[in-house]
């Protein structure tokens, strides 16, 4: 039964990617800013969550600066995090992601057309070039979404943060906004075929961390601050359960 469910969901993911990806690619020349492609991505994410019967609640949207770019830094517990944030963050944003995702047919092509940033971690020079490109996106007014752990957790616990996102925030002079996704690890565990539909997910957004007076030498301190802030977002779920 579990394998049948996995097969069904994989087929649905493929169909949804085709259904929203192909029109996005065809219409992208008429919207070079990438806003239209991102709109299709939002519906793609929402549809996958609907198929998986995954309810999502967002808390703290007021902490995302209005009319100002920022760097959203989120924990990464599951592949489900991508559709969760696409489907329920009601803003235009641009993702900074590992280069391998951009080679996936349709999905990767749409990511490029939307103006998402590819980072090749195996090549430091290319990685620096990608961060400069991301800084330009921020100056264009679009928030950037980063998973600073670098990869999905295998245990569900928050991993140490890499420095790239924080160098980007300091370089662009924009605030860092912590995001904690609670519940996605129970939906789809890394390196596992176990899928659990119907799991309630909460997304907690914390107050922004200003970077105005930071320099590149402060990146480690900023990363530590952001790590503590994301951890606090993840703890918000336990606090909410305790008070209910």
């Amino acid at each position: 039964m579990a394998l049948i469910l996995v097969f069904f969901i994989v087929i649905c993911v493929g169909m949804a990617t085709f259904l929203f990806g192909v029109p996005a690619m065809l219409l992208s020349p008429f919207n070079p800013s990438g806003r239209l492609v991102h709109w299709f991505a939002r519906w793609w994410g929402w549809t996958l969550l609907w198929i998986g019967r995954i309810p999502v609640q967002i808390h703290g949207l007021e902490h995302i600066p209005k009319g100002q770019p920022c760097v959203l830094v989120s924990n990464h517990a599951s592949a489900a995090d991508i559709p969760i944030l696409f489907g329920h963050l009601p803003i235009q944003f641009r993702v900074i992601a590992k280069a391998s995702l951009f080679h996936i047919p349709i999905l990767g092509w749409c990511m490029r057309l939307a103006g998402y940033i590819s980072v090749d971690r195996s090549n430091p020079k290319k990685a620096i070039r990608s961060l400069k490109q991301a800084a330009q996106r921020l100056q264009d007014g679009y928030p950037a979404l980063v998973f600073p752990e670098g990869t999905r957790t295998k245990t569900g616990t928050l991993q140490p943060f890499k420095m790239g996102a924080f160098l980007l925030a300091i370089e662009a002079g924009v605030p860092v906004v912590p995001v904690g996704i609670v519940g996605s690890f129970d939906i789809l565990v890394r390196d596992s075929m176990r899928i659990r539909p119907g799991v309630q997910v909460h997304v907690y957004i914390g107050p922004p961390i200003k970077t105005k007076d930071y320099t590149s030498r402060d990146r480690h301190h900023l990363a530590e601050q952001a790590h503590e802030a994301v951890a606090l977002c993840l703890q918000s779920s336990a606090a909410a359960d305790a008070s209910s």
Side-chain angles (χ1 to χ4, degrees), residues 59-125:
H59 311 267
L61 276 174
E62 68 276 8
H63 290 141
I64 298 178
K66 294 182 179 178
Q68 177 189 6
C70 62
V71 176
L72 302 162
V73 294
S74 173
N75 65 309
H76 199 9
S78 163
D81 295 334
I82 304 294
I84 286 168
L85 294 177
F86 273 133
H88 286 273
L89 277 183
I91 60 171
Q92 283 276 333
F93 58 87
R94 298 296 177 261
V95 179
I96 302 176
K98 59 184 180 182
S100 59
L101 292 178
F102 290 78
H103 299 302
I104 300 175
I106 300 181
L107 177 63
W109 304 335
C110 287
M111 290 174 69
R112 290 191 186 280
L113 292 171
Y116 300 163
I117 310 298
S118 166
V119 177
D120 186 352
R121 299 192 191 106
S122 64
N123 188 318
K125 288 185 178 179

Side-chain angles (χ1 to χ4, degrees), residues 49-213:
L49 297 174
W50 179 78
I51 291 170
R53 295 183 291 111
I54 300 169
V56 178
Q57 289 187 6
I58 302 284
H59 311 267
L61 276 174
E62 68 276 8
H63 290 141
I64 298 178
K66 294 182 179 178
Q68 177 189 6
C70 62
V71 176
L72 302 162
V73 294
S74 173
N75 65 309
H76 199 9
S78 163
D81 295 334
I82 304 294
I84 286 168
L85 294 177
F86 273 133
H88 286 273
L89 277 183
I91 60 171
Q92 283 276 333
F93 58 87
R94 298 296 177 261
V95 179
I96 302 176
K98 59 184 180 182
S100 59
L101 292 178
F102 290 78
H103 299 302
I104 300 175
I106 300 181
L107 177 63
W109 304 335
C110 287
M111 290 174 69
R112 290 191 186 280
L113 292 171
Y116 300 163
I117 310 298
S118 166
V119 177
D120 186 352
R121 299 192 191 106
S122 64
N123 188 318
K125 288 185 178 179
K126 288 185 178 180
I128 292 173
R129 194 181 311 139
S130 297
L131 289 176
K132 289 182 178 179
Q133 187 180 2
Q136 179 60 51
R137 289 283 189 278
L138 285 168
Q139 291 170 3
D140 291 342
Y142 295 116
L145 171 66
V146 187
F147 296 108
E149 293 168 281
T151 186
R152 299 192 304 275
T153 176
K154 293 184 178 181
T155 63
T157 58
L158 189 63
Q159 304 173 97
F161 285 176
K162 299 183 183 302
M163 295 297 109
F166 308 103
L167 278 171
L168 168 62
I170 292 170
E171 176 75 19
V174 301
V176 170
V177 179
V179 179
I181 305 173
V182 180
S184 63
F185 183 77
D186 296 322
I187 298 169
L188 180 61
V189 178
R190 180 179 175 179
D191 300 330
S192 170
M193 295 297 287
R194 179 174 63 85
I195 297 176
R196 291 179 57 198
V199 174
Q200 175 70 59
V201 172
H202 292 272
V203 178
Y204 292 90
I205 303 169
I209 303 169
K210 295 180 180 179
T211 64
K212 182 180 178 181
D213 299 322

Side-chain angles (χ1 to χ4, degrees), residues 27-36 94 112-115 137 142:
L27 294 173
S28 63
F30 303 99
N31 188 239
S33 68
R35 293 178 63 88
L36 183 61
R94 298 296 177 261
R112 290 191 186 280
L113 292 171
R137 289 283 189 278
Y142 295 116

Side-chain angles (χ1 to χ4, degrees), residues 37-54:
V37 179
H38 185 82
W39 182 85
F40 276 105
R42 285 198 64 196
W43 278 99
W44 169 82
W46 187 90
T47 300
L48 294 184
L49 297 174
W50 179 78
I51 291 170
R53 295 183 291 111
I54 300 169

